[in-house]
Amino acid sequence: MNERQRLNYLQAMGLQQWIVRQPEELSRESEQALPVQMDEISLPECEVHEITVTSDRIIPWDDLKNQVASCTQCSLHQSRTQTVFGVGDRQADWMLIGEAPGQQEDEQGEPFVGPAGMLLNEILFSLGLQRQTVFIANILKCRPPNNRDPLPDEIQSCSSFLEQQVKHVAPRIILTLGRIAAQNLLHTTESIGRLRGRVHDYQSIPVIVMYHPAYLLRSPTEKRKVLQDLLLAKQTLDQIDAG
Ligand code: URA
């Protein structure tokens, strides 16, 4: 477990981090402290099966998977073959976020397994990465009929699942694939053309916006821009490493 995950877990459990303090600071605080009786402290109720999450709470990974698999929060559950939770290393440094499952993903229960997925694998390969070493998820866990754009209420219903996945994986960097993923993760309506080429922030994690592999299949000349995006992602991590 890395440091960020450890802190997230501690925070979710309501535990404070230990901080070494000077003796003067401690005595000053104890003078100011009010006496509190244990029976005056009310503990928060534990709602293990609640789907809507508060920003600090972490749902155990297997519970999260079960919640996604049995989700009926929007109408997409009626047309899906199965949900598509995500795939890869739960402790990955790199997290890739796409839009929503397509037909093949809906049939196989895994993101990016169709032609766009093949191209994504190549993109990862050019970074020296493999599917198993990153974590790949989507904004939506169910396929929209005929691959139409996700609707706002569908995105809203699914958002806590992705939020939880990011907290668990605690990646060092996030790559968004396509307009829908970028705009919804970053809560913006800016075009992908304007969002690209900059380092954004999601919960203190750097985010690089890239074109969707399906778009690159239709417009191969844009692949050059993806290489620029990957370079920016690598540079961003290198800068973090250099402190
Ligand atoms: N496109 C996406 O955005 N996600 C997938 O999983 C497949 C295609």
Side-chain angles (χ1 to χ4, degrees), residues 51-53 71 73-74 76 139-140 150-163 184 187:
I51 298 249
T52 308
V53 292
C71 181
Q73 288 196 95
C74 78
L76 293 183
I139 296 282
L140 290 192
L151 299 174
D153 73 297
E154 294 160 356
I155 292 173
Q156 173 63 32
S157 305
C158 241
S159 62
S160 66
F161 295 140
L162 183 62
E163 228 174 80
N184 286 287
H187 296 288

Side-chain angles (χ1 to χ4, degrees), residues 84 98-102 105 110-113 116 138 177 212:
V84 178
E99 177 179 327
E105 289 77 20
E110 184 170 328
F112 286 98
V113 288
N138 280 312
L177 306 171
H212 195 285

Side-chain angles (χ1 to χ4, degrees), residues 56-179:
D56 285 344
R57 198 167 143 242
I58 294 196
I59 297 175
W61 189 256
D62 288 340
D63 290 356
L64 186 63
K65 272 187 152 176
N66 289 337
Q67 286 188 1
V68 169
S70 59
C71 181
T72 55
Q73 288 196 95
C74 78
S75 62
L76 293 183
H77 76 277
Q78 291 162 345
S79 51
R80 75 183 177 217
T81 305
Q82 59 190 305
T83 56
V84 178
F85 181 75
V87 73
D89 183 351
R90 279 167 53 179
Q91 300 197 324
D93 284 346
W94 296 72
M95 184 160 182
L96 285 84
I97 301 177
E99 177 179 327
Q103 183 183 352
Q104 293 180 52
E105 289 77 20
D106 170 77
E107 285 165 6
Q108 296 183 39
E110 184 170 328
F112 286 98
V113 288
M118 298 302 111
L119 180 55
L120 183 60
N121 292 348
E122 280 181 37
I123 292 172
L124 289 173
F125 187 73
S126 72
L127 275 169
L129 300 169
Q130 291 177 323
R131 270 176 89 85
Q132 314 86 270
T133 60
V134 301
F135 194 84
I136 307 174
N138 280 312
I139 296 282
L140 290 192
K141 309 305 184 209
C142 295
R143 180 190 181 205
N146 303 316
N147 299 345
R148 63 153 169 76
D149 281 357
L151 299 174
D153 73 297
E154 294 160 356
I155 292 173
Q156 173 63 32
S157 305
C158 241
S159 62
S160 66
F161 295 140
L162 183 62
E163 228 174 80
Q164 287 284 319
Q165 287 177 309
V166 175
K167 279 187 201 296
H168 271 280
V169 177
R172 296 185 63 215
I173 194 158
I174 293 175
L175 304 184
T176 59
L177 306 171
R179 176 182 64 86

